[in-house]
């Protein structure tokens, strides 16, 4: 991952606005995508991610702002004069044409010899792993197979840019996960610059080189999956990607901590003046469990930040296969519950059980502080 | 990154992007404009011409003429006076009577109450402007040259009216009981026919949908048969059944079939399939779960019927009612054949135009007829929209359970209706084969010797087939491509909305009105399209336009079912839209396209109302021949020709079925898994 | 696809262009209301003498042809009118649409059949005479005696058994009405029609329909014209053709050149031929009364006393009062909403 740092810019989006009547679906979007990069537009429905994709494709051209592809200003060009392949959630396969004819649709009528077309179609079918299906009609294929054909068709003409509009959303969960890897592999093999729109954060995290998190027509954050997951720049991003605990607090300690009631906690550095209402965010898996001391005497249970530990009661435990989701409450932190994910190992070792008491540690560098009030709406 | 919380772009955002249109966009917009121009020329402009004709009036301008009267000795001692002055003095002609039609004449003797043609008094007449026209006998004089007449000649002098614009024609219309009585008649007939047809059709559709009776397919076929014949054919059949020499005359108990009874019975016949199919659809989409709920609540059948069935089908019923109302009130053929002295609006237009050459009054009646037709149309559209909403939210399909008594009574009812339809068609065929009704009942083909009758002969039949084929082919191309442009063009919202409006308009325009509008528009020598007047082309254009809306809606519905992402995909593959159109859109929509073709063909074969004003001696049509042969009293040949139309349409339907099956098998293999 | 599309559109245009046969030398566009079955005979007879002039017929009923001509007033399409009611030609004449021309040999015709203007604008061909068709079979069934006069038709026994053409749409209907007004005078004429109206079962749109309906026994008495009656009788209908004793109205079929024609010479050749003896003998095959004196031979089934019963028709009166008469007629009889039983 993160391979894009030295690559050249392939797609440059500058100050793009898109109006539908009085409503602005995109507000001053600027973004650069590097050659060969796999970028995901991620956000809740209505955030403008599809609008942005359609603007890049020329399907719904932006109201203002420019788009450059490979150094060329394509801001006003119609789709047919741009260089991209596209895959839609609906696959949009031509139902009356066979798989081979679907893939060949763009190749025919472009001066390529028929034998070459046949060769290319076979090659593409091979590439998407469906070499036997050439003469079938789309309706005879499963959803996953159809989507692979759509992909093959989109890359048939070796476009410079591959656009994927929620390509996996219509598939069932298992196929979806499987196809993620296939699509990603294919993209890597071809080296084609790819933009995928999705509302599924897992999909984005798994596939993207970089994720563009959008909300209300603006870009909230651009970064690698680990960046946006671990270092969200806004409460929205933190909330939208992954699970979070959100604690209503007051800024404290000159940008290095928060307080909840009388309780003070150290936090990652922030810019909020003391006394301001803020929201502190911690992910469940970042919470470190400690035994109550009595039950695990010999355990190497070193507390690294003693000031950031909290006494809690275990209210509920849910076994999710690879870990335990645990709901804790603590008088110190007000009425709210805290969700923490503990490894099976830790639960067994520390004998954590419902009704028991336990101490948790909130690592200060994982406790992110954002301005309060901006209610995230997921 | 972005901190743009502002709701609108500031100055730094740069200018608005003006999207460059691709070649596809240009072609599609250009083509849509071409089609819009077509609809404007074929619809909007003719209607405008007709409306302005309705306001074109003729009136006698008394100030145009000056008369000087001599004494007994022939010496002109009195000063000359204008007719206006004379009339102001004596009011010989009331102001209201000065309005006339373009062929109006006013005798000058009316201004001289003591006129005698034997008197030696002489008269000098002079027009006061260049447009003053008077006749001596039928000799025409124009302009300001003075003339002198003796009394015997003066009695032959009449003045002609001048052209004007105004509401005078409407005033005349509403002050002529013979004319405005038709409004009441038309509305009355339409309402009565609507009530009967919708009730009968509801029963039929209910039996088809909710019973387990046998022969449903056969009944359905029979019920649709009236669509295949011109609306005047039932009129002819009724003459043979209930006329003074009819088999079943005694059933009328002395009432005459010529008049409202005949019109209503015939209207029920020809509107039945239209109502039946609408109600059938409405019934078949209602939710079975409501019935299950009713059963579990132990509601009686009667109660279930009124609380579940009727409300569920209400939009269908309303829509059917307005469609039938519209069909009946705008129909011309049937009241013409069987109406007797019962005047209806559509026939009035014909009588005014063909009988009296009073085009202005024809236009006025057209305007009057437009009003109920437009109203019915608007209501139907509103209701249809709701029905569609209901359709998309549909749920479980109702499955009837066998019930011996109910199924038997349904069977009996449907058999009765089917008998009515078959006997109407059967009597026409029988009458067509009988040599000389009712005196020589031997069978023969003399009535098929159309070339010896008025109406155009066998050539009319051939013309009709040619016209129907051309209408089906050209019409389908125009309508389907037009619908494609409306449905798939990007942007250009105003253009699309305008086109959509034009495409929906024809359904609201009665055929008679359209035909008359075409006369006014195309038969104008100043119109560069004047050359198509009297040709097959104008018949095809008129028929395509007349039946545009239903075909357009069929096409749009089919196109809406196609994935809207096809065009972006094709564009990304650098393929022009027309390649996608021919390779994918057309094959996928082929069933709908074939439906449009057969719809246009059948209607072109049976239509009378629009084309009756437009055919020429070289382009007589079978349906018009039926009308004209009946008009000339050749009723049996009219029936024979009507049945030829029926068989042709049956054959066309069979061909349609075979072709559909073949095309489905060939190009739609993908539909079956 | 575009090709196909363009092909379709082109085909549409081509239909128009092909049917737009421009007026060419040696061809005449002739408007007529002569019965369809006679047209070929007329053209053949003319071409026997003038093979170089082709006739393109435009045929329709009197009302339609008249309406068409009037509609084309400023852009006439016809070269010649051959076989249209004289009352219609008078209408066209008063619009200045006819070319004044005295055909060669016009002096041989009965002056009654020639326009009074000099030179005349039209010449008559044959007379078309009103008559009553009476179905003897149905008459007997219903116990009706055959009517002898117009006045007879107002008798109560005929109630609902008489049918006549609507003068508003039928030339025959109008000639009946105008003849009654001429024979009986205006006041008595309308009084007669008031009485007759009580017996009328229906007013038909066409002039031949009443006789055909009488022939079919649908309505026993049809006010129509003699020519139609003779044809129905020849076809085997049990009808008598009655010539009412007061006299019968008539109109004539006539010929004229349309003013402004590009083919004036050919048009004159045709019109010259239409007044020849030969042409009149041809008219005689259908009509008992023709313009050329001494030509007429009796026509089968035609009533014998027809000629003497023809009134001295004042076409000018008919033409100039047409609108007023029709307005009055419509006011009196066309406003009924009830059908007559």
């Amino acid at each position: 991952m993160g391979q894009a740092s030295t690559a050249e810019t392939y797609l440059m989006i500058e100050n793009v606005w898109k109006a539908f009547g009085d409503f602005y679906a995109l507000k001053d979007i600027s973004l650069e995508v590097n050659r060969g990069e796999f970028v995901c537009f991620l956000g809740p429905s209505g955030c403008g991610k599809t609008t942005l994709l359609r603007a890049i494709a020329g399907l719904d051209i932006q109201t203002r702002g420019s788009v450059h592809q490979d150094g060329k200003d394509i801001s006003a060009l119609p789709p047919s004069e741009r260089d991209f392949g596209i895959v839609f959630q609906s696959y949009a396969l031509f139902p009356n044409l066979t798989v081979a004819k679907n893939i060949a649709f763009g190749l025919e009528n472009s001066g390529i010899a028929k034998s070459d077309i046949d060769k290319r179609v076979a090659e593409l079918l091979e590439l998407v792993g469906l070499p036997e299906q050439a003469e079938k009609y789309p309706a005879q294929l499963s959803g996953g197979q159809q989507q692979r054909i759509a992909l093959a068709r989109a890359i048939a003409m070796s476009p410079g840019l591959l656009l994927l509009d929620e390509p996996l959303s219509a598939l069932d969960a298992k196929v979806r996960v499987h196809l993620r890897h296939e699509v990603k592999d294919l993209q890597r093999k071809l080296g084609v610059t790819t933009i995928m729109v999705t509302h599924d954060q897992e999909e984005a995290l798994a596939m993207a080189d970089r994720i563009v998190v959008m909300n209300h027509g603006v870009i909230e954050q651009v970064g690698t999956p680990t960046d946006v997951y671990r270092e969200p720049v806004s409460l929205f991003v933190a909330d939208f990607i992954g699970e979070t605990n959100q604690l209503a607090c007051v800024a404290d300690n000159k940008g290095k901590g928060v307080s909840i009631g009388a309780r003070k906690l150290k936090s990652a550095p922030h810019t909020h003046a003391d006394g301001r209402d803020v929201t502190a965010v911690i992910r469940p898996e970042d919470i470190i469990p400690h035994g109550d001391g009595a039950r695990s005497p010999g355990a190497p249970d070193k507390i690294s930040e003693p000031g950031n530990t909290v006494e809690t009661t275990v209210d509920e435990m849910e076994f999710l296969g690879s870990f335990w989701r645990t709901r804790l409450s603590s008088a110190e932190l007000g009425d709210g519950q805290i969700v923490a994910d503990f490894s099976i190992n830790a639960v067994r070792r520390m004998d954590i059980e419902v009704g028991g008491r336990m101490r948790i540690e909130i690592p200060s560098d994982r406790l992110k502080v954002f301005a309060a009030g901006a209610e995230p709406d997921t | 990154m972005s901190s743009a919380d502002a709701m609108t772009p500031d100055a730094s955002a740069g200018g608005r992007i003006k999207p460059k249109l691709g070649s596809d966009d240009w072609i599609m917009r250009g083509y849509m404009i071409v089609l819009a121009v077509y609809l404007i020329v074929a619809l909007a402009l003719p209607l405008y011409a007709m409306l302005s004709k309705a306001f074109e009036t003729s009136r006698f301008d008394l100030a145009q003429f000056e008369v000087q009267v001599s004494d007994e000795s022939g010496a002109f001692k009195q000063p000359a006076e204008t007719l206006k002055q004379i009339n102001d003095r004596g009011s010989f002609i009331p102001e209201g009577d000065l309005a006339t039609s373009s062929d109006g004449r006013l005798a000058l003797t009316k201004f001289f109450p003591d006129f005698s043609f034997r008197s030696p008094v002489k008269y000098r007449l002079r027009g006061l402007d260049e447009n003053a026209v008077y006749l001596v006998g039928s000799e025409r004089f124009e302009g300001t040259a003075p003339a002198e007449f003796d009394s015997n000649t003066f009695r032959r002098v009449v003045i002609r009216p001048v052209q004007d614009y105004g509401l005078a024609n409407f005033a005349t219309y509403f002050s002529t009981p013979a004319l405005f009585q038709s409004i009441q008649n038309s509305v009355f007939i339409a309402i009565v026919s609507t009530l009967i047809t919708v009730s009968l059709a509801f029963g039929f559709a209910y039996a088809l949908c909710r019973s387990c009776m046998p022969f449903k397919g056969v009944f359905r076929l029979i019920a649709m048969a009236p669509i295949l014949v011109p609306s005047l054919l039932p009129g002819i059949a009724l003459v043979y059944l209930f006329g003074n020499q009819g088999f079943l005359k005694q059933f009328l108990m002395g009432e005459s079939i010529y008049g409202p009874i005949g019109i209503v019975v015939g209207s029920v016949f020809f509107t039945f399939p239209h109502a039946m199919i609408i109600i059938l659809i409405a019934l078949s989409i209602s939710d079975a779960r409501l019935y299950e709920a009713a059963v579990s609540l132990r509601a009686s059948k009667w109660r279930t019927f009124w609380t579940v069935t009727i409300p569920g089908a209400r939009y269908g019923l309303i829509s059917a009612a307005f469609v039938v109302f519209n069909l009946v009130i705008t129909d011309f053929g049937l009241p013409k054949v069987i109406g007797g002295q019962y005047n209806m609006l559509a026939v009035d237009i014909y009588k005014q135009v063909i009988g009296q050459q009073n085009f202005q009054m024809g236009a006025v009646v057209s305007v009057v007829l437009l009003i109920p037709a437009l109203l019915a149309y608007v209501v139907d559209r509103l209701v249809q929209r709701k029905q569609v909403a209901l359709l998309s939210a549909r749920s479980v399909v109702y499955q009837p359970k066998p019930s011996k008594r109910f199924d038997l009574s349904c069977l009996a009812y449907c058999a009765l209706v089917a008998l009515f339809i078959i006997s109407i068609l059967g009597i026409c065929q029988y009458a067509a084969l009988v040599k000389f009704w009712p005196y020589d009942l031997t069978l023969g083909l003399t009535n098929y010797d159309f070339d010896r009758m008025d109406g155009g002969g066998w050539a009319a039949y051939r013309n009709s087939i040619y016209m129907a084929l051309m209408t089906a082919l050209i019409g389908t191309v125009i309508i389907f491509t037009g619908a494609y442009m409306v449905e798939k063009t990007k942007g250009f919202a105003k253009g699309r909305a305008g086109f959509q409006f034009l495409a929906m308009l024809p359904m609201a325009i009665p055929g008679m009105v359209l035909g008359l509008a075409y006369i006014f528009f195309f038969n104008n020598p100043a119109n560069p399209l004047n050359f198509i007047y009297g040709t097959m082309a104008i018949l095809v254009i008129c028929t395509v336009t007349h039946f545009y809306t239903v075909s357009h809606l069929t096409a749009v519905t089919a196109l809406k079912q196609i994935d809207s992402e096809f065009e972006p995909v094709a564009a990304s593959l650098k393929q022009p839209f027309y390649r996608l159109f021919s390779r994918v859109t057309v094959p996928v929509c082929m069933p709908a396209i074939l439906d449009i073709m057969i719809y246009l063909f059948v209607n072109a074969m049976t239509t009378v109302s629009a084309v009756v004003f437009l055919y020429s001696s070289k382009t007589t049509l079978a349906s018009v021949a039926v009308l004209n042969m009946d008009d000339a009293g050749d009723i049996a040949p009219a029936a024979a020709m009507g049945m030829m139309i029926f068989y042709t349409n049956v054959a066309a339907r069979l061909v349609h079925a075979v072709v559909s099956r073949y095309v489905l098998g060939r190009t739609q293999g993908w539909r079956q898994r | 696809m575009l090709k196909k599309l363009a092909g379709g559109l082109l085909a549409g245009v081509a239909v128009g262009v092909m049917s737009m046969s421009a007026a060419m030398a040696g061809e005449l566009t002739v408007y007529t209301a002569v019965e369809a079955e006679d047209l070929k005979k007329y053209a053949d007879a003319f071409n026997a003498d003038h093979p170089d002039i082709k006739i393109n017929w435009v045929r329709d009923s009197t009302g339609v042809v008249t309406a068409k001509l009037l509609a084309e007033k400023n852009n006439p399409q016809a070269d010649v009118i051959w076989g249209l009611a004289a009352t219609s030609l008078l209408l066209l004449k008063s619009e200045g649409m006819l070319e004044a021309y005295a055909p060669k040999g016009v002096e041989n015709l009965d002056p009654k059949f020639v326009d009074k203007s000099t030179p005349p604008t039209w010449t008559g061909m044959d007379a078309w005479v009103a008559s009553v068709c009476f179905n003897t079979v149905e008459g007997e069934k219903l116990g009706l005696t055959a009517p002898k006069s117009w006045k007879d038709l107002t008798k109560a026994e005929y109630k609902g058994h008489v049918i006549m053409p609507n003068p508003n749409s039928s030339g025959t209907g109008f000639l009946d009405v105008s003849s009654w007004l001429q024979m009986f005078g205006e006041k008595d004429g309308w009084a007669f029609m008031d009485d007759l109206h009580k017996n009328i079962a229906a007013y038909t749109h066409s002039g031949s329909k009443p006789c055909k309906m009488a022939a079919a026994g649908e309505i026993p008495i049809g006010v129509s014209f003699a020519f139609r009656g003779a044809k129905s009788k020849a076809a085997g209908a049990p009808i008598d053709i009655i010539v009412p004793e007061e006299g019968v109205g008539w109109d004539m079929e006539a010929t004229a050149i349309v003013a402004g024609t590009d083919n004036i010479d050919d048009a004159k050749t045709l019109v010259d031929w239409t007044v020849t003896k030969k042409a009149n003998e041809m008219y005689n095959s259908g009509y008992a009364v023709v313009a050329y004196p001494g030509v007429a031979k009796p026509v089968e089934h035609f009533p014998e006393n027809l000629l003497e019963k023809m009134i001295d028709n004042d076409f000018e009166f008919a033409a100039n009062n047409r609108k007023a008469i029709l307005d009055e007629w419509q006011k009196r009889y066309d406003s009924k909403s009830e059908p007559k039983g």
Side-chain angles (χ1 to χ4, degrees), chain B residues 372-402:
Chain B
L374 269 173
L375 277 179
Y377 164 80
V378 169
V379 174
D380 177 51
R381 291 312 311 162
L382 291 177
V383 171
Q384 282 282 344
R385 208 166 286 170
K386 295 200 165 168
Q387 162 109 31
V388 169
L390 211 63
L391 187 74
S392 47
R394 74 165 173 165
S395 29
V396 184
V397 179
Y398 180 85
Q399 291 292 342
K401 290 175 197 68

Side-chain angles (χ1 to χ4, degrees), chain A residues 294-362:
Chain A
R295 294 216 182 167
S296 52
D301 194 19
K302 186 167 168 288
I303 295 175
S304 39
E305 290 179 288
N308 264 24
T309 60
V310 180
E311 284 295 332
T312 64
T313 311
V314 179
D315 292 340
E316 230 180 291
M317 292 180 74
E318 191 182 358
F319 182 55
L320 291 179
S322 50
F323 62 89
W324 285 92
R325 174 144 298 175
T326 312
R327 293 180 198 284
L328 311 162
S329 56
S330 160
E332 289 177 62
L333 299 179
D335 301 329
Q337 275 190 330
I338 291 183
V339 179
D341 292 345
F342 299 137
S343 71
I344 297 165
N345 183 303
V347 169
R348 194 178 52 234
R349 191 161 43 80
M350 295 179 196
D351 202 11
I352 300 170
E353 57 184 18
V354 175
R357 293 191 56 77
M358 70 178 294
R359 174 174 295 270
I360 56 167
E361 178 184 345
I362 299 176

Side-chain angles (χ1 to χ4, degrees), chain C residues 78-90:
Chain C
D79 298 308
V80 174
I81 301 163
W82 184 12
L84 186 64
T87 39
S88 291
L89 288 180
L90 281 170

Side-chain angles (χ1 to χ4, degrees), chain B residues 338-369:
Chain B
I338 197 86
Q341 296 322 107
Y342 197 76
N343 291 331
M344 300 265 288
L345 287 171
V347 183
D348 281 351
I349 299 178
Y350 183 77
K351 279 205 284 191
Q352 289 296 330
V353 173
I354 301 295
Q356 294 172 265
Q357 294 103 46
N358 191 343
F359 294 95
Q360 288 81 4
M361 195 51 77
V364 168
V365 185
S366 297
V367 172
V368 172
L369 179 58

